[in-house]
């Protein structure tokens, strides 16, 4: 069965073809967030929502890759925060965040798990050097029993921002 | 999508007050973890991206909205001093990361020194923040947790609301470009520390408030904290050394 075709959700929250192709190209399993690419590809997928359905119930999850910024807690470092917010509590959310400077990945976070939550977040940081910074997030949502699909992994990109130190 | 400042505050509260709130069972307080995740997402970058125009709100409006937070009410039922104060002088924690030396710095006049209050289950909210934002570049290991007991007579300015924050900044103003921020050195003549409760942090984080001296500088405290302006502690006690980074919650 083509699971994605069975979802009755607005087109705007269906899986993005570009992101899905990227994940396939990276040869990743769908159950865990993966390392974001070493170099941002052309046509990188922006943050797109995903959805899972169980009967009439739909859970929508939305990623948000924030603009990189100078850390408030540790001056002299550039930090990027990525979040995932779902409309209902899910089985788990796992998040990895990548940080890029001048179109080259300079930091890849580990995986942070949020069991039984509606929210997940992770961050990546480097010592500040002037340049153009960009964040990316690889994220996996495991939905509650009965929802289709049961698990989804996605990749999304934020906007580029020039930062000085 | 852009929001007005009040809409963004309401969005923050919607994210905090989820319909199925995390329970407080288990070894760590899921409610505090949830609060740290949500508030940690309200960075200056997010405020800039999501707020239409200057993020200026009325302190009374902010306090009114935050006063209805179910999550804060739930936390306050167990740990009222985190939400409403006053600071618990004998339960302060300071956590050194690999950036710090082996001892607790006592020169609080020359550098900002923040503590967070130990919770009923043990670790302070700052430790929860570190667990959730572990990033070797920002917070290198090891982490040394020190317990500090402040003098019983230490005067602490309590900031439990946006209105309190405005009052504090107006009492000790320091102009910086177009904004006004606290003059900590001036405040140190009257107070040993300034305690920001969760009620205040949820109300003020990322927002500016109009004062007689101009708009206040947006603050990003994230967790219940006290900024100390003078060293009023007994001997610090090392309670834990962490050498391995957290792998999850």
């Amino acid at each position: 069965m083509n699971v994605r075709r069975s979802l009755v959700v607005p087109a705007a929250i269906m899986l993005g073809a570009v992101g899905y192709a990227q994940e396939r190209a990276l040869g990743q399993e769908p159950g865990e967030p993966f390392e974001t690419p070493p170099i941002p590809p052309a046509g990188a997928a922006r943050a797109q929502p995903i959805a899972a359905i169980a009967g009439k119930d739909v859970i929508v999850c939305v990623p948000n890759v924030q603009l990189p910024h100078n850390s408030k807690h540790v001056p002299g470092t550039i930090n990027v925060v990525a979040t995932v917010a779902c409309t209902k509590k899910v089985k788990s959310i796992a998040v990895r965040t990548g940080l890029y400077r001048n179109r080259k990945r300079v930091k890849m976070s580990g995986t942070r798990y949020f069991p039984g939550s509606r929210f997940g977040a992770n961050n990546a940081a480097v010592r500040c050097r002037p340049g153009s910074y960009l964040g990316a997030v690889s994220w996996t949502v495991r939905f509650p029993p009965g929802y289709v699909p049961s698990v989804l992994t996605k990749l999304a990109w934020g906007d580029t921002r020039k930062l000085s130190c | 999508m852009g929001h007005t400042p009040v809409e963004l505050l309401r969005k923050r509260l919607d994210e905090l007050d989820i319909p199925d709130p995390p329970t407080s069972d288990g070894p760590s307080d899921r409610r505090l973890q949830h609060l740290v995740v949500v508030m940690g997402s309200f960075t200056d970058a997010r405020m800039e991206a999501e707020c239409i125009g200057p993020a200026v709100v009325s302190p009374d409006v902010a306090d009114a909205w935050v006063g209805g937070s179910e999550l804060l009410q739930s936390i306050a039922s167990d740990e009222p001093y985190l939400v409403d104060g006053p600071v618990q002088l004998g339960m302060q924690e300071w956590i050194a990361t690999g950036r710090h030396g082996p001892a607790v710095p006592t020169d609080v006049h020359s550098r900002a020194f923040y503590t967070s209050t130990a919770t009923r289950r043990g670790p302070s909210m700052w430790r929860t923040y570190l667990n959730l934002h572990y990033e070797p570049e920002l917070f290198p290991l090891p982490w040394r947790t020190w317990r500090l007991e402040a003098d019983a007579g230490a005067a602490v300015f309590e900031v439990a609301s946006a209105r309190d924050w405005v009052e504090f900044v107006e009492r000790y103003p320091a102009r910086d470009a177009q904004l006004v921020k606290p003059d900590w050195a001036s405040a140190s003549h009257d107070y040993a520390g300034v305690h920001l409760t969760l009620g205040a942090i949820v109300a003020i984080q990322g927002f500016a408030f109009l004062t007689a001296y101009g708009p206040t500088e947006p603050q990003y405290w994230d967790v219940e904290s006290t900024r100390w302006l003078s060293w009023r502690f007994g001997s610090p006690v090392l309670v834990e050394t962490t050498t391995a980074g957290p792998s999850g919650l």
Side-chain angles (χ1 to χ4, degrees), chain A residues 64 66-74 77 79 81 83 88-89 107 109 111-127 161, chain B residues 14-15 18-20 30 34 37-38 40-41 43-46 48 50 99 126 129 131-139 220-222 246-249:
Chain A
N64 177 26
Q66 297 186 7
L67 287 169
H69 63 282
N70 290 283
S71 169
K72 294 291 181 184
H73 289 298
V74 186
T77 55
N79 190 27
V81 177
T83 63
K88 294 180 182 177
K89 188 158 70 175
K107 184 52 92 52
S109 80
T111 304
R112 190 148 304 282
Y113 296 95
F114 298 84
S117 178
R118 275 186 61 199
F119 286 92
N122 207 339
N123 59 302
V126 292
R127 193 174 302 278
R161 184 188 212 185
Chain B
D14 284 344
E15 293 181 6
I18 56 179
D20 44 0
R30 299 274 319 272
H34 176 66
V37 171
V38 172
S41 77
T43 64
D44 53 344
R46 181 177 181 184
E48 183 180 313
E50 296 189 13
R99 293 176 178 276
W126 180 245
Y129 183 95
N131 285 343
L132 286 163
H133 295 82
Y134 172 57
E135 161 55 65
E137 197 79 33
L138 288 177
F139 307 111
Y220 295 90
W221 291 55
D222 288 311
S247 57
L249 293 179

Side-chain angles (χ1 to χ4, degrees), chain B residues 56-241:
Chain B
V56 178
V57 295
S58 153
D60 295 329
V61 169
D63 289 337
W65 279 105
V66 172
S69 168
E70 295 178 2
L71 179 68
L72 289 182
Q73 290 169 10
S74 172
I75 295 170
S77 66
D78 293 331
E79 315 224 37
Y81 47 86
L82 293 182
V83 178
D84 300 316
V87 64
Q88 301 296 290
L89 295 171
M91 298 171 60
Q92 295 306 296
E93 282 188 1
W94 181 75
I95 302 177
T97 71
R99 293 176 178 276
H100 302 92
V104 180
T106 59
D107 55 337
V108 298
H109 293 290
S110 60
R111 68 171 76 182
F113 185 78
Y114 295 87
T115 61
S116 192
T117 305
T119 64
R120 283 199 314 150
R121 287 187 170 82
S124 66
M125 285 190 73
W126 180 245
R127 177 53 188 268
T128 300
Y129 183 95
L130 290 177
N131 285 343
L132 286 163
H133 295 82
Y134 172 57
E135 161 55 65
E137 197 79 33
L138 288 177
F139 307 111
L141 295 166
W143 298 339
R144 294 187 179 89
T145 301
W146 297 86
R147 180 64 65 91
L148 300 172
E149 185 170 343
D151 299 345
V156 175
F157 191 103
E158 286 290 336
V159 178
S161 64
R163 173 56 63 188
D164 289 346
W165 178 250
V166 170
E167 180 186 335
F168 177 69
V169 175
E170 287 189 323
R171 192 183 298 186
Y172 304 102
R175 289 185 182 83
D176 183 8
Q178 303 297 316
L179 302 174
V180 59
K181 60 184 182 180
D183 182 344
W184 299 106
S186 177
S188 71
H189 298 309
D190 300 323
Y191 293 97
V194 180
H195 179 222
L196 261 76
T197 69
L198 292 179
I201 289 164
V202 172
I204 73 172
Q205 181 138 327
F207 290 109
F209 303 94
L210 296 180
T211 73
Y213 305 97
T216 59
E217 179 188 65
Q219 301 287 307
Y220 295 90
W221 291 55
D222 288 311
V223 299
E224 181 265 352
S225 309
T226 300
R227 175 166 177 160
W228 294 93
L229 310 176
S230 60
W231 182 260
R232 296 291 298 271
F233 300 101
S235 297
V237 177
L238 181 63
V239 295
E240 184 186 41
T241 299

